[in-house]
Amino acid sequence: MTPGPVAWVARCPDCALERSRLDDPAANGPIVAGWSESAVDAHSRLRRANAGRSLDAMARFAPPPGRRLLDVGCGAGWFLDIARERGLETFGIEPDPGVAEAARANGHDVTAGLFPRPDAPARSADIVSFNDVLAHLPDPLSALCEAHRLLAPGGTLILTLPDRRGAFYRMAGALLGLGLKGPYERLWQRGYESPHLWYFSPGSLEACVRAAGFEPLRHAGLPSVALAGLWGRLAIRGDLGWPARAGLFATLAAAHPVIRYGAPSDIMLLLSRKR
C-alpha cells in the first residue's frame, strides 16, 4: 500500500484497493453524525428498493440451491423484510444489540454479535448477504471465508458495497484536490460511529471473493440516491445546518437524472457462487 490523497487513506498501486485508518479514533475524529428516526426511515426506502433489485438479480443469474438466507449486519431487517416477502427462510446477525432487538420485534430471527463469531452456533445457509457491510469490516477476507464455511455447496454470496469508480467518489476526489475535503470525508463516513474502512474496485473485490473460495458470477450497479426520502436522509449528518442541507438537496435533485441514468454507479452488486 502507498499513501493516498489524505493521511488516513492508503492505496494499492496495483489493484486500486483503498484502506482507511478510520477504525483508529484519532483518525476518525469526534463523532458528529447522528441518526434520527426520519433519517433512518428515509435511508431504508432506498435500501429496500435495492434489496429487491439484488434478489431479482440473484434469481436470474445466481439461483441458490435452497431458500435459507443469512444477512450479515442486518440492521433493523430491511433486507430480511424483502427476502421474507419472497418466500425465503431468513435469519440475521447484527452487532448493535438495540438494533438487533428492533429486528426481532419485527418478527425476524436475529442474533446480536459480530461476524465472524467463533462462539456462535453454526447454522448453514444457501445464501449469505452483506449489504453495505463488507466495507466496514477490519478483515473482510476472514468474514468471506466464514460465509464460505456456512454456505451449502453451490451457495450464493450477495455483496453490495461502495464502488470507488462511482460518480460521487470521483467528484469528491476532484473537490479534495481543490481543497474541499467535506464530500470526500462524507463518502468515507469520517466522523460516523462505523466509518468505511475499504473502498473496492470490481477487480479488487473479485480477487477477495476468489481468495475466499467463491466464483464471481455477475456485477451490476445499484442506485445510490433517490428523490423520495432524500431530505430526511440528509439529516443523518448531525452537523449539517439547514442552509447547507437545502443547498445539497437542490444540487442532488437537479443532478438526479444524470446520476441515476448516465453516471457510473456508486454502489456495486457482486453475485458469487461457492466453489
Side-chain angles (χ1 to χ4, degrees), residues 110-158:
V110 172
T111 299
L114 299 175
F115 186 91
R117 184 181 173 190
D119 62 330
R123 297 179 62 182
S124 63
D126 303 296
I127 310 153
V128 174
S129 55
F130 293 78
N131 293 289
D132 194 20
V133 168
L134 201 70
H136 297 268
L137 301 181
D139 189 352
L141 181 57
S142 291
L144 292 178
C145 288
E146 177 67 3
H148 187 276
R149 186 183 70 83
L150 295 176
L151 274 169
T156 299
L157 175 69
I158 301 175

mmCIF file of all heavy atoms in Angstrom, residues 110-158:
data_model
loop_
_atom_site.group_PDB
_atom_site.id
_atom_site.type_symbol
_atom_site.label_atom_id
_atom_site.label_comp_id
_atom_site.label_asym_id
_atom_site.label_seq_id
_atom_site.Cartn_x
_atom_site.Cartn_y
_atom_site.Cartn_z
ATOM 1 N N VAL A 110 -32.880 -12.921 14.662
ATOM 2 C CA VAL A 110 -31.635 -12.156 14.587
ATOM 3 C C VAL A 110 -30.823 -12.358 15.857
ATOM 4 O O VAL A 110 -31.345 -12.253 16.972
ATOM 5 C CB VAL A 110 -31.912 -10.651 14.371
ATOM 6 C CG1 VAL A 110 -30.620 -9.834 14.483
ATOM 7 C CG2 VAL A 110 -32.560 -10.420 13.010
ATOM 8 N N THR A 111 -29.540 -12.640 15.680
ATOM 9 C CA THR A 111 -28.591 -12.786 16.781
ATOM 10 C C THR A 111 -27.774 -11.506 16.903
ATOM 11 O O THR A 111 -27.318 -10.954 15.897
ATOM 12 C CB THR A 111 -27.647 -13.969 16.520
ATOM 13 O OG1 THR A 111 -28.425 -15.171 16.418
ATOM 14 C CG2 THR A 111 -26.630 -14.111 17.642
ATOM 15 N N ALA A 112 -27.599 -11.032 18.128
ATOM 16 C CA ALA A 112 -26.748 -9.869 18.367
ATOM 17 C C ALA A 112 -25.307 -10.325 18.509
ATOM 18 O O ALA A 112 -25.004 -11.221 19.309
ATOM 19 C CB ALA A 112 -27.197 -9.126 19.617
ATOM 20 N N GLY A 113 -24.405 -9.729 17.728
ATOM 21 C CA GLY A 113 -22.997 -10.082 17.834
ATOM 22 C C GLY A 113 -22.243 -9.735 16.571
ATOM 23 O O GLY A 113 -22.817 -9.246 15.593
ATOM 24 N N LEU A 114 -20.947 -9.977 16.615
ATOM 25 C CA LEU A 114 -20.074 -9.682 15.483
ATOM 26 C C LEU A 114 -19.983 -10.885 14.553
ATOM 27 O O LEU A 114 -20.337 -12.006 14.918
ATOM 28 C CB LEU A 114 -18.681 -9.289 15.972
ATOM 29 C CG LEU A 114 -18.593 -8.045 16.851
ATOM 30 C CD1 LEU A 114 -17.165 -7.860 17.354
ATOM 31 C CD2 LEU A 114 -19.059 -6.803 16.090
ATOM 32 N N PHE A 115 -19.512 -10.639 13.356
ATOM 33 C CA PHE A 115 -19.303 -11.712 12.371
ATOM 34 C C PHE A 115 -17.920 -11.525 11.763
ATOM 35 O O PHE A 115 -17.585 -10.406 11.347
ATOM 36 C CB PHE A 115 -20.370 -11.621 11.269
ATOM 37 C CG PHE A 115 -20.327 -12.756 10.280
ATOM 38 C CD1 PHE A 115 -21.076 -13.902 10.488
ATOM 39 C CD2 PHE A 115 -19.526 -12.677 9.149
ATOM 40 C CE1 PHE A 115 -21.041 -14.948 9.579
ATOM 41 C CE2 PHE A 115 -19.478 -13.722 8.235
ATOM 42 C CZ PHE A 115 -20.244 -14.855 8.454
ATOM 43 N N PRO A 116 -17.084 -12.562 11.690
ATOM 44 C CA PRO A 116 -17.347 -13.907 12.208
ATOM 45 C C PRO A 116 -17.295 -13.958 13.730
ATOM 46 O O PRO A 116 -16.590 -13.167 14.365
ATOM 47 C CB PRO A 116 -16.227 -14.730 11.595
ATOM 48 C CG PRO A 116 -15.131 -13.760 11.327
ATOM 49 C CD PRO A 116 -15.787 -12.450 11.020
ATOM 50 N N ARG A 117 -18.054 -14.909 14.290
ATOM 51 C CA ARG A 117 -18.174 -15.038 15.737
ATOM 52 C C ARG A 117 -17.958 -16.495 16.105
ATOM 53 O O ARG A 117 -18.857 -17.325 15.922
ATOM 54 C CB ARG A 117 -19.564 -14.561 16.181
ATOM 55 C CG ARG A 117 -19.771 -14.553 17.679
ATOM 56 C CD ARG A 117 -21.176 -14.095 18.003
ATOM 57 N NE ARG A 117 -21.458 -14.226 19.427
ATOM 58 C CZ ARG A 117 -22.670 -14.069 19.951
ATOM 59 N NH1 ARG A 117 -23.697 -13.796 19.156
ATOM 60 N NH2 ARG A 117 -22.862 -14.194 21.240
ATOM 61 N N PRO A 118 -16.771 -16.860 16.610
ATOM 62 C CA PRO A 118 -16.443 -18.269 16.841
ATOM 63 C C PRO A 118 -17.386 -18.972 17.802
ATOM 64 O O PRO A 118 -17.605 -20.182 17.686
ATOM 65 C CB PRO A 118 -15.021 -18.208 17.402
ATOM 66 C CG PRO A 118 -14.474 -16.897 16.937
ATOM 67 C CD PRO A 118 -15.639 -15.973 16.892
ATOM 68 N N ASP A 119 -17.969 -18.220 18.777
ATOM 69 C CA ASP A 119 -18.808 -18.879 19.782
ATOM 70 C C ASP A 119 -20.262 -19.010 19.336
ATOM 71 O O ASP A 119 -21.078 -19.579 20.060
ATOM 72 C CB ASP A 119 -18.749 -18.111 21.105
ATOM 73 C CG ASP A 119 -19.279 -16.683 20.974
ATOM 74 O OD1 ASP A 119 -19.154 -16.110 19.873
ATOM 75 O OD2 ASP A 119 -19.805 -16.147 21.961
ATOM 76 N N ALA A 120 -20.603 -18.478 18.144
ATOM 77 C CA ALA A 120 -21.980 -18.562 17.673
ATOM 78 C C ALA A 120 -22.264 -19.964 17.135
ATOM 79 O O ALA A 120 -21.382 -20.603 16.556
ATOM 80 C CB ALA A 120 -22.228 -17.530 16.572
ATOM 81 N N PRO A 121 -23.480 -20.465 17.339
ATOM 82 C CA PRO A 121 -23.805 -21.790 16.795
ATOM 83 C C PRO A 121 -23.764 -21.775 15.275
ATOM 84 O O PRO A 121 -24.184 -20.806 14.631
ATOM 85 C CB PRO A 121 -25.226 -22.042 17.310
ATOM 86 C CG PRO A 121 -25.778 -20.688 17.625
ATOM 87 C CD PRO A 121 -24.612 -19.860 18.054
ATOM 88 N N ALA A 122 -23.214 -22.825 14.699
ATOM 89 C CA ALA A 122 -23.114 -22.912 13.236
ATOM 90 C C ALA A 122 -24.489 -23.194 12.644
ATOM 91 O O ALA A 122 -25.159 -24.140 13.049
ATOM 92 C CB ALA A 122 -22.128 -24.001 12.846
ATOM 93 N N ARG A 123 -24.917 -22.348 11.721
ATOM 94 C CA ARG A 123 -26.187 -22.543 11.031
ATOM 95 C C ARG A 123 -25.905 -22.425 9.543
ATOM 96 O O ARG A 123 -25.466 -21.381 9.071
ATOM 97 C CB ARG A 123 -27.217 -21.499 11.462
ATOM 98 C CG ARG A 123 -27.589 -21.569 12.922
ATOM 99 C CD ARG A 123 -28.581 -20.500 13.303
ATOM 100 N NE ARG A 123 -29.833 -20.638 12.580
ATOM 101 C CZ ARG A 123 -30.864 -19.793 12.719
ATOM 102 N NH1 ARG A 123 -30.752 -18.763 13.554
ATOM 103 N NH2 ARG A 123 -31.969 -19.966 12.035
ATOM 104 N N SER A 124 -26.158 -23.476 8.821
ATOM 105 C CA SER A 124 -25.870 -23.442 7.394
ATOM 106 C C SER A 124 -26.879 -22.577 6.669
ATOM 107 O O SER A 124 -27.989 -22.335 7.152
ATOM 108 C CB SER A 124 -25.889 -24.862 6.819
ATOM 109 O OG SER A 124 -27.180 -25.425 6.947
ATOM 110 N N ALA A 125 -26.478 -22.083 5.516
ATOM 111 C CA ALA A 125 -27.328 -21.213 4.706
ATOM 112 C C ALA A 125 -27.110 -21.534 3.236
ATOM 113 O O ALA A 125 -26.074 -22.095 2.852
ATOM 114 C CB ALA A 125 -27.016 -19.751 4.981
ATOM 115 N N ASP A 126 -28.096 -21.206 2.426
ATOM 116 C CA ASP A 126 -27.974 -21.321 0.979
ATOM 117 C C ASP A 126 -27.578 -19.994 0.347
ATOM 118 O O ASP A 126 -27.070 -19.958 -0.777
ATOM 119 C CB ASP A 126 -29.306 -21.790 0.374
ATOM 120 C CG ASP A 126 -29.766 -23.108 0.965
ATOM 121 O OD1 ASP A 126 -29.060 -24.106 0.766
ATOM 122 O OD2 ASP A 126 -30.816 -23.124 1.648
ATOM 123 N N ILE A 127 -27.815 -18.897 1.076
ATOM 124 C CA ILE A 127 -27.492 -17.545 0.625
ATOM 125 C C ILE A 127 -26.911 -16.793 1.816
ATOM 126 O O ILE A 127 -27.473 -16.850 2.918
ATOM 127 C CB ILE A 127 -28.755 -16.793 0.133
ATOM 128 C CG1 ILE A 127 -29.549 -17.632 -0.866
ATOM 129 C CG2 ILE A 127 -28.387 -15.428 -0.453
ATOM 130 C CD1 ILE A 127 -31.030 -17.293 -0.897
ATOM 131 N N VAL A 128 -25.806 -16.110 1.618
ATOM 132 C CA VAL A 128 -25.278 -15.187 2.621
ATOM 133 C C VAL A 128 -25.150 -13.820 1.960
ATOM 134 O O VAL A 128 -24.583 -13.702 0.867
ATOM 135 C CB VAL A 128 -23.912 -15.635 3.178
ATOM 136 C CG1 VAL A 128 -23.333 -14.570 4.110
ATOM 137 C CG2 VAL A 128 -24.040 -16.957 3.915
ATOM 138 N N SER A 129 -25.685 -12.796 2.614
ATOM 139 C CA SER A 129 -25.656 -11.445 2.058
ATOM 140 C C SER A 129 -24.944 -10.492 3.016
ATOM 141 O O SER A 129 -25.083 -10.593 4.232
ATOM 142 C CB SER A 129 -27.075 -10.939 1.776
ATOM 143 O OG SER A 129 -27.886 -11.018 2.937
ATOM 144 N N PHE A 130 -24.167 -9.581 2.425
ATOM 145 C CA PHE A 130 -23.522 -8.474 3.128
ATOM 146 C C PHE A 130 -23.974 -7.207 2.418
ATOM 147 O O PHE A 130 -23.484 -6.892 1.322
ATOM 148 C CB PHE A 130 -22.002 -8.567 3.061
ATOM 149 C CG PHE A 130 -21.373 -9.725 3.786
ATOM 150 C CD1 PHE A 130 -21.378 -11.002 3.246
ATOM 151 C CD2 PHE A 130 -20.738 -9.527 5.008
ATOM 152 C CE1 PHE A 130 -20.769 -12.061 3.883
ATOM 153 C CE2 PHE A 130 -20.124 -10.592 5.670
ATOM 154 C CZ PHE A 130 -20.139 -11.868 5.116
ATOM 155 N N ASN A 131 -24.910 -6.480 2.993
ATOM 156 C CA ASN A 131 -25.441 -5.275 2.363
ATOM 157 C C ASN A 131 -24.864 -4.038 3.031
ATOM 158 O O ASN A 131 -25.220 -3.711 4.164
ATOM 159 C CB ASN A 131 -26.973 -5.275 2.448
ATOM 160 C CG ASN A 131 -27.585 -6.377 1.596
ATOM 161 O OD1 ASN A 131 -27.556 -6.304 0.379
ATOM 162 N ND2 ASN A 131 -28.114 -7.407 2.238
ATOM 163 N N ASP A 132 -23.957 -3.359 2.325
ATOM 164 C CA ASP A 132 -23.251 -2.195 2.858
ATOM 165 C C ASP A 132 -22.598 -2.539 4.195
ATOM 166 O O ASP A 132 -22.684 -1.783 5.158
ATOM 167 C CB ASP A 132 -24.188 -1.001 2.999
ATOM 168 C CG ASP A 132 -23.430 0.303 3.231
ATOM 169 O OD1 ASP A 132 -22.226 0.352 2.909
ATOM 170 O OD2 ASP A 132 -24.033 1.273 3.750
ATOM 171 N N VAL A 133 -21.947 -3.691 4.256
ATOM 172 C CA VAL A 133 -21.311 -4.167 5.490
ATOM 173 C C VAL A 133 -19.825 -4.428 5.278
ATOM 174 O O VAL A 133 -18.995 -4.049 6.118
ATOM 175 C CB VAL A 133 -22.012 -5.449 5.997
ATOM 176 C CG1 VAL A 133 -21.205 -6.118 7.101
ATOM 177 C CG2 VAL A 133 -23.412 -5.128 6.488
ATOM 178 N N LEU A 134 -19.469 -5.068 4.170
ATOM 179 C CA LEU A 134 -18.096 -5.532 3.983
ATOM 180 C C LEU A 134 -17.090 -4.385 4.074
ATOM 181 O O LEU A 134 -15.987 -4.565 4.610
ATOM 182 C CB LEU A 134 -17.960 -6.235 2.630
ATOM 183 C CG LEU A 134 -16.767 -7.181 2.486
ATOM 184 C CD1 LEU A 134 -16.964 -8.419 3.352
ATOM 185 C CD2 LEU A 134 -16.566 -7.587 1.034
ATOM 186 N N ALA A 135 -17.437 -3.213 3.581
ATOM 187 C CA ALA A 135 -16.510 -2.075 3.589
ATOM 188 C C ALA A 135 -16.262 -1.535 4.985
ATOM 189 O O ALA A 135 -15.356 -0.724 5.187
ATOM 190 C CB ALA A 135 -17.044 -0.960 2.689
ATOM 191 N N HIS A 136 -17.067 -1.969 5.966
ATOM 192 C CA HIS A 136 -16.903 -1.501 7.345
ATOM 193 C C HIS A 136 -16.094 -2.471 8.199
ATOM 194 O O HIS A 136 -15.790 -2.157 9.355
ATOM 195 C CB HIS A 136 -18.274 -1.309 7.995
ATOM 196 C CG HIS A 136 -19.119 -0.257 7.350
ATOM 197 N ND1 HIS A 136 -19.123 1.058 7.755
ATOM 198 C CD2 HIS A 136 -19.994 -0.339 6.318
ATOM 199 C CE1 HIS A 136 -19.967 1.743 7.005
ATOM 200 N NE2 HIS A 136 -20.509 0.922 6.124
ATOM 201 N N LEU A 137 -15.765 -3.647 7.675
ATOM 202 C CA LEU A 137 -15.122 -4.686 8.481
ATOM 203 C C LEU A 137 -13.602 -4.572 8.421
ATOM 204 O O LEU A 137 -13.032 -4.413 7.337
ATOM 205 C CB LEU A 137 -15.534 -6.069 7.982
ATOM 206 C CG LEU A 137 -17.041 -6.373 7.996
ATOM 207 C CD1 LEU A 137 -17.298 -7.778 7.491
ATOM 208 C CD2 LEU A 137 -17.622 -6.189 9.399
ATOM 209 N N PRO A 138 -12.914 -4.689 9.551
ATOM 210 C CA PRO A 138 -11.443 -4.621 9.526
ATOM 211 C C PRO A 138 -10.809 -5.728 8.693
ATOM 212 O O PRO A 138 -9.769 -5.523 8.084
ATOM 213 C CB PRO A 138 -11.062 -4.741 11.003
ATOM 214 C CG PRO A 138 -12.283 -4.346 11.766
ATOM 215 C CD PRO A 138 -13.441 -4.772 10.925
ATOM 216 N N ASP A 139 -11.423 -6.911 8.669
ATOM 217 C CA ASP A 139 -10.855 -8.059 7.962
ATOM 218 C C ASP A 139 -11.934 -8.682 7.063
ATOM 219 O O ASP A 139 -12.538 -9.697 7.425
ATOM 220 C CB ASP A 139 -10.325 -9.087 8.957
ATOM 221 C CG ASP A 139 -9.531 -10.209 8.291
ATOM 222 O OD1 ASP A 139 -9.519 -10.266 7.039
ATOM 223 O OD2 ASP A 139 -8.932 -11.024 9.008
ATOM 224 N N PRO A 140 -12.212 -8.088 5.914
ATOM 225 C CA PRO A 140 -13.277 -8.627 5.058
ATOM 226 C C PRO A 140 -13.005 -10.035 4.556
ATOM 227 O O PRO A 140 -13.937 -10.818 4.366
ATOM 228 C CB PRO A 140 -13.355 -7.622 3.901
ATOM 229 C CG PRO A 140 -12.053 -6.896 3.918
ATOM 230 C CD PRO A 140 -11.613 -6.875 5.343
ATOM 231 N N LEU A 141 -11.732 -10.392 4.342
ATOM 232 C CA LEU A 141 -11.432 -11.733 3.846
ATOM 233 C C LEU A 141 -11.844 -12.800 4.857
ATOM 234 O O LEU A 141 -12.412 -13.836 4.495
ATOM 235 C CB LEU A 141 -9.949 -11.853 3.504
ATOM 236 C CG LEU A 141 -9.497 -13.201 2.941
ATOM 237 C CD1 LEU A 141 -10.281 -13.568 1.686
ATOM 238 C CD2 LEU A 141 -8.006 -13.183 2.643
ATOM 239 N N SER A 142 -11.589 -12.570 6.143
ATOM 240 C CA SER A 142 -11.999 -13.533 7.166
ATOM 241 C C SER A 142 -13.516 -13.684 7.194
ATOM 242 O O SER A 142 -14.039 -14.797 7.359
ATOM 243 C CB SER A 142 -11.500 -13.100 8.543
ATOM 244 O OG SER A 142 -10.101 -13.215 8.635
ATOM 245 N N ALA A 143 -14.224 -12.577 7.024
ATOM 246 C CA ALA A 143 -15.686 -12.644 7.009
ATOM 247 C C ALA A 143 -16.182 -13.451 5.819
ATOM 248 O O ALA A 143 -17.119 -14.251 5.934
ATOM 249 C CB ALA A 143 -16.268 -11.236 6.977
ATOM 250 N N LEU A 144 -15.555 -13.279 4.658
ATOM 251 C CA LEU A 144 -15.961 -14.031 3.477
ATOM 252 C C LEU A 144 -15.614 -15.518 3.619
ATOM 253 O O LEU A 144 -16.365 -16.381 3.160
ATOM 254 C CB LEU A 144 -15.301 -13.448 2.231
ATOM 255 C CG LEU A 144 -15.767 -12.047 1.825
ATOM 256 C CD1 LEU A 144 -14.993 -11.570 0.601
ATOM 257 C CD2 LEU A 144 -17.260 -12.015 1.552
ATOM 258 N N CYS A 145 -14.498 -15.814 4.260
ATOM 259 C CA CYS A 145 -14.143 -17.220 4.492
ATOM 260 C C CYS A 145 -15.153 -17.883 5.420
ATOM 261 O O CYS A 145 -15.523 -19.056 5.233
ATOM 262 C CB CYS A 145 -12.734 -17.317 5.072
ATOM 263 S SG CYS A 145 -11.408 -16.957 3.883
ATOM 264 N N GLU A 146 -15.632 -17.150 6.423
ATOM 265 C CA GLU A 146 -16.657 -17.699 7.306
ATOM 266 C C GLU A 146 -17.969 -17.897 6.552
ATOM 267 O O GLU A 146 -18.663 -18.904 6.756
ATOM 268 C CB GLU A 146 -16.857 -16.775 8.512
ATOM 269 C CG GLU A 146 -17.956 -17.189 9.466
ATOM 270 C CD GLU A 146 -17.656 -18.485 10.220
ATOM 271 O OE1 GLU A 146 -16.552 -19.052 10.059
ATOM 272 O OE2 GLU A 146 -18.543 -18.936 10.977
ATOM 273 N N ALA A 147 -18.316 -16.961 5.686
ATOM 274 C CA ALA A 147 -19.512 -17.129 4.868
ATOM 275 C C ALA A 147 -19.392 -18.371 3.988
ATOM 276 O O ALA A 147 -20.366 -19.126 3.821
ATOM 277 C CB ALA A 147 -19.727 -15.886 4.010
ATOM 278 N N HIS A 148 -18.208 -18.580 3.444
ATOM 279 C CA HIS A 148 -17.968 -19.770 2.618
ATOM 280 C C HIS A 148 -18.176 -21.038 3.440
ATOM 281 O O HIS A 148 -18.771 -22.029 2.958
ATOM 282 C CB HIS A 148 -16.549 -19.715 2.060
ATOM 283 C CG HIS A 148 -16.222 -20.784 1.078
ATOM 284 N ND1 HIS A 148 -15.804 -22.051 1.468
ATOM 285 C CD2 HIS A 148 -16.250 -20.801 -0.286
ATOM 286 C CE1 HIS A 148 -15.586 -22.790 0.400
ATOM 287 N NE2 HIS A 148 -15.840 -22.056 -0.691
ATOM 288 N N ARG A 149 -17.722 -21.034 4.685
ATOM 289 C CA ARG A 149 -17.871 -22.209 5.549
ATOM 290 C C ARG A 149 -19.339 -22.500 5.838
ATOM 291 O O ARG A 149 -19.753 -23.668 5.890
ATOM 292 C CB ARG A 149 -17.110 -21.988 6.858
ATOM 293 C CG ARG A 149 -17.073 -23.206 7.772
ATOM 294 C CD ARG A 149 -16.373 -22.895 9.075
ATOM 295 N NE ARG A 149 -17.164 -22.005 9.921
ATOM 296 C CZ ARG A 149 -18.138 -22.435 10.721
ATOM 297 N NH1 ARG A 149 -18.462 -23.722 10.776
ATOM 298 N NH2 ARG A 149 -18.806 -21.579 11.482
ATOM 299 N N LEU A 150 -20.136 -21.463 6.031
ATOM 300 C CA LEU A 150 -21.536 -21.641 6.399
ATOM 301 C C LEU A 150 -22.422 -22.001 5.203
ATOM 302 O O LEU A 150 -23.498 -22.564 5.385
ATOM 303 C CB LEU A 150 -22.077 -20.362 7.048
ATOM 304 C CG LEU A 150 -21.463 -19.963 8.389
ATOM 305 C CD1 LEU A 150 -22.028 -18.626 8.843
ATOM 306 C CD2 LEU A 150 -21.722 -21.031 9.438
ATOM 307 N N LEU A 151 -21.971 -21.659 4.002
ATOM 308 C CA LEU A 151 -22.807 -21.869 2.830
ATOM 309 C C LEU A 151 -22.849 -23.337 2.416
ATOM 310 O O LEU A 151 -21.849 -24.065 2.477
ATOM 311 C CB LEU A 151 -22.303 -21.032 1.654
ATOM 312 C CG LEU A 151 -22.823 -19.596 1.585
ATOM 313 C CD1 LEU A 151 -22.050 -18.805 0.539
ATOM 314 C CD2 LEU A 151 -24.319 -19.560 1.265
ATOM 315 N N ALA A 152 -24.034 -23.747 1.952
ATOM 316 C CA ALA A 152 -24.190 -25.079 1.369
ATOM 317 C C ALA A 152 -23.425 -25.140 0.055
ATOM 318 O O ALA A 152 -23.111 -24.097 -0.552
ATOM 319 C CB ALA A 152 -25.671 -25.359 1.130
ATOM 320 N N PRO A 153 -23.078 -26.331 -0.426
ATOM 321 C CA PRO A 153 -22.404 -26.449 -1.726
ATOM 322 C C PRO A 153 -23.193 -25.733 -2.823
ATOM 323 O O PRO A 153 -24.404 -25.890 -2.933
ATOM 324 C CB PRO A 153 -22.381 -27.958 -1.970
ATOM 325 C CG PRO A 153 -22.396 -28.554 -0.593
ATOM 326 C CD PRO A 153 -23.253 -27.642 0.236
ATOM 327 N N GLY A 154 -22.492 -24.916 -3.590
ATOM 328 C CA GLY A 154 -23.144 -24.149 -4.641
ATOM 329 C C GLY A 154 -23.913 -22.954 -4.146
ATOM 330 O O GLY A 154 -24.664 -22.332 -4.911
ATOM 331 N N GLY A 155 -23.727 -22.597 -2.852
ATOM 332 C CA GLY A 155 -24.461 -21.480 -2.270
ATOM 333 C C GLY A 155 -24.089 -20.140 -2.886
ATOM 334 O O GLY A 155 -23.041 -19.978 -3.514
ATOM 335 N N THR A 156 -24.969 -19.155 -2.695
ATOM 336 C CA THR A 156 -24.841 -17.837 -3.318
ATOM 337 C C THR A 156 -24.392 -16.791 -2.310
ATOM 338 O O THR A 156 -24.917 -16.728 -1.186
ATOM 339 C CB THR A 156 -26.187 -17.397 -3.929
ATOM 340 O OG1 THR A 156 -26.573 -18.338 -4.931
ATOM 341 C CG2 THR A 156 -26.076 -16.012 -4.559
ATOM 342 N N LEU A 157 -23.425 -15.970 -2.702
ATOM 343 C CA LEU A 157 -22.953 -14.832 -1.914
ATOM 344 C C LEU A 157 -23.427 -13.552 -2.578
ATOM 345 O O LEU A 157 -23.191 -13.333 -3.768
ATOM 346 C CB LEU A 157 -21.426 -14.847 -1.836
ATOM 347 C CG LEU A 157 -20.753 -13.661 -1.142
ATOM 348 C CD1 LEU A 157 -21.040 -13.687 0.356
ATOM 349 C CD2 LEU A 157 -19.247 -13.668 -1.407
ATOM 350 N N ILE A 158 -24.123 -12.687 -1.807
ATOM 351 C CA ILE A 158 -24.591 -11.390 -2.292
ATOM 352 C C ILE A 158 -23.793 -10.303 -1.580
ATOM 353 O O ILE A 158 -23.819 -10.226 -0.351
ATOM 354 C CB ILE A 158 -26.091 -11.184 -2.018
ATOM 355 C CG1 ILE A 158 -26.929 -12.279 -2.687
ATOM 356 C CG2 ILE A 158 -26.539 -9.803 -2.481
ATOM 357 C CD1 ILE A 158 -28.417 -12.193 -2.343
#
